[in-house]
């Protein structure tokens, strides 16, 4: 007996058309670790960060000019504080990925999904559910195994920096929820001020002689490096931001968050398929535990 497939409803098709761009954002974010690793060295981190955000900042300023004019002084100050935290996140992530694999970076950074509810529980003095604590423990165990992919050795400097970046992302999320002035601000000008503040920090560090200068790095870039930089700037920053803003309005923050939560899976896939990285048996088990723990933790909150 043959069964005919039920045609997709218009609502299901609309949901798929909304989900697909968000899923693509998760894919490009997962690929961003390998892209950053491919164009950055210890001496060019600051310069690459200046170039990456200087490319997209003018477009954000033009798009959000009206919103920028509408921001109050308190909102400007609050967004600037968030931008300082954001600069720390990008510094830790970029220095970290130079010293570890793109696969490790993508999986370790996913611990933000565990750290944030734990930090929020500590601030509000509300004990999280037991299932969430178990998921957190599973994720931490996964990270320990992940960093021992080639056998039990001391975790690398890069692993530690990415772990600090995950903690910094947690601080950023908590700050956004607790700085009252920014809670009513439009997302576009708020993000523009944050990125502008971060670029200012990178520019000061570059002027202070921290590594190579942005113009010398830009002059040395070939076609492959410029392609990597534009990928990070246009796809991983500018388009990703606009897709998120559009998708949250079309669907729900929870649905967007769930789709973006697949980022570490794509980071591992890209690192292994394109970067030639290998986890080893212990590392593979650790990566699976991180993915299972973070997924379980999102559902148990």
């Amino acid at each position: 007996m043959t069964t005919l497939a039920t045609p997709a409803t218009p609502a299901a098709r609309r949901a798929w058309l909304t989900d697909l761009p968000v899923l693509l954002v998760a894919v490009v974010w997962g690929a961003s670790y390998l892209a950053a690793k491919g164009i950055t060295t210890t001496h060019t981190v600051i310069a690459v960060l200046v170039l990456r955000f200087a490319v997209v900042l003018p477009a954000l300023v033009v798009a959000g000019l009206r919103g920028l004019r509408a921001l109050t002084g308190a909102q400007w100050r609050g967004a600037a504080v968030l931008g300082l935290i954001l600069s720390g996140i990008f510094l830790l992530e970029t220095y970290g990925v130079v010293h570890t694999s793109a696969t490790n970076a993508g999986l370790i950074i996913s611990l933000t999904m565990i750290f944030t509810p734990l930090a929020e529980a500590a601030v509000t003095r509300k004990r999280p559910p037991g299932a969430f604590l178990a998921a957190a423990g599973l994720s931490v165990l996964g990270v320990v195994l992940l960093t021992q992919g080639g056998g039990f050795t001391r975790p690398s400097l890069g692993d530690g920096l990415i772990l600090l970046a995950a903690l910094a992302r947690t601080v950023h999320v908590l700050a956004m929820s607790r700085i009252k002035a920014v809670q009513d601000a439009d997302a576009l000008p708020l993000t523009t001020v944050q990125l502008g503040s971060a670029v200012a920090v990178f520019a000061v560090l570059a002027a202070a002689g921290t590594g190579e200068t942005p113009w010398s790095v830009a002059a040395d870039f070939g076609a492959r490096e410029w392609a990597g930089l534009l990928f990070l700037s246009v796809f991983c920053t500018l388009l990703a931001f606009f897709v998120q803003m559009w998708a949250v309005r079309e669907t729900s923050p929870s649905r967007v968050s769930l789709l973006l939560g697949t980022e570490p899976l794509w980071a591992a896939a890209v690192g292994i398929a394109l970067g030639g990285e290998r986890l080893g048996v212990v590392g593979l088990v650790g990566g699976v535990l991180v993915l299972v723990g973070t997924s379980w933790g999102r559902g148990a909150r």
Side-chain angles (χ1 to χ4, degrees):
M1 179 176 179
T2 305
T3 9
L4 295 176
T6 306
T9 64
R13 283 195 295 270
R14 282 196 302 272
W16 173 246
L17 290 175
T18 305
D19 289 348
L20 184 58
V22 179
L23 191 60
L24 289 176
V25 168
V27 173
V28 298
W29 276 357
S32 69
Y33 299 100
L34 187 62
K37 190 174 180 67
I39 65 171
T40 314
T41 67
T42 303
H43 301 294
T44 63
V45 167
I46 304 298
V48 168
L49 286 172
V50 171
L51 294 171
R52 173 179 175 177
F53 294 106
V55 167
V56 298
L57 194 58
L60 286 174
V61 170
V62 171
L65 191 58
R66 182 178 298 177
L68 287 169
R69 290 172 177 164
L71 292 178
T72 65
Q75 288 171 332
W76 274 91
R77 289 189 294 273
V81 169
L82 293 174
L84 293 178
I85 302 171
L86 194 64
S87 68
I89 294 170
F90 281 111
L91 286 168
L92 289 166
E93 282 186 359
T94 312
Y95 274 114
V97 80
V98 168
H99 296 287
T100 190
S101 68
T103 303
N104 275 24
L107 290 168
I108 293 172
I109 203 70
S110 69
L111 286 178
T112 302
M113 290 181 283
I114 296 295
F115 290 158
T116 302
L118 288 176
E120 191 175 13
V123 170
T124 59
R125 299 179 184 274
K126 292 181 179 177
R127 181 181 173 83
F132 178 81
L133 293 175
L138 190 66
S139 298
V140 171
L141 174 61
V143 167
V144 172
L145 295 178
L146 176 66
T147 59
Q148 310 303 314
F152 286 95
T153 58
R154 180 179 299 177
S156 71
L157 171 64
D159 294 332
L161 291 174
I162 297 294
L163 189 62
L164 289 175
L167 290 169
R169 280 193 182 191
T170 298
V171 172
H172 187 255
V173 171
L174 290 181
M176 280 195 294
S177 68
R178 299 185 75 82
I179 299 177
K180 293 182 180 179
V182 303
Q183 291 174 6
D184 297 327
D186 185 71
L188 177 56
L190 182 64
T191 300
T192 304
V193 175
Q194 286 188 72
L195 289 183
S197 300
V199 170
V201 171
F202 305 146
V204 168
L205 292 174
T210 308
E212 297 184 32
T213 62
W215 45 89
S216 68
V217 170
D220 289 340
F221 269 4
R224 184 183 69 84
E225 288 80 12
W226 276 110
L229 181 72
L230 291 175
F231 173 74
L232 291 171
S233 299
V234 177
F235 289 94
C236 301
T237 305
L238 188 63
L239 291 182
F241 167 70
F242 282 111
V243 167
Q244 282 184 88
M245 279 202 350
W246 166 76
V248 166
R249 291 184 175 95
E250 292 292 319
T251 175
S252 71
S254 297
R255 192 175 182 90
V256 171
S257 176
L258 185 64
L259 291 167
L260 292 179
T262 62
E263 175 191 346
L265 179 63
W266 299 113
V270 170
I272 293 169
L274 301 182
E277 298 176 352
R278 295 292 179 267
L279 286 176
V281 176
V282 174
L284 182 61
V285 171
V288 170
L289 290 181
V290 170
L291 293 173
V292 170
T294 51
S295 178
W296 182 17
R298 284 201 305 272
R301 280 189 287 186

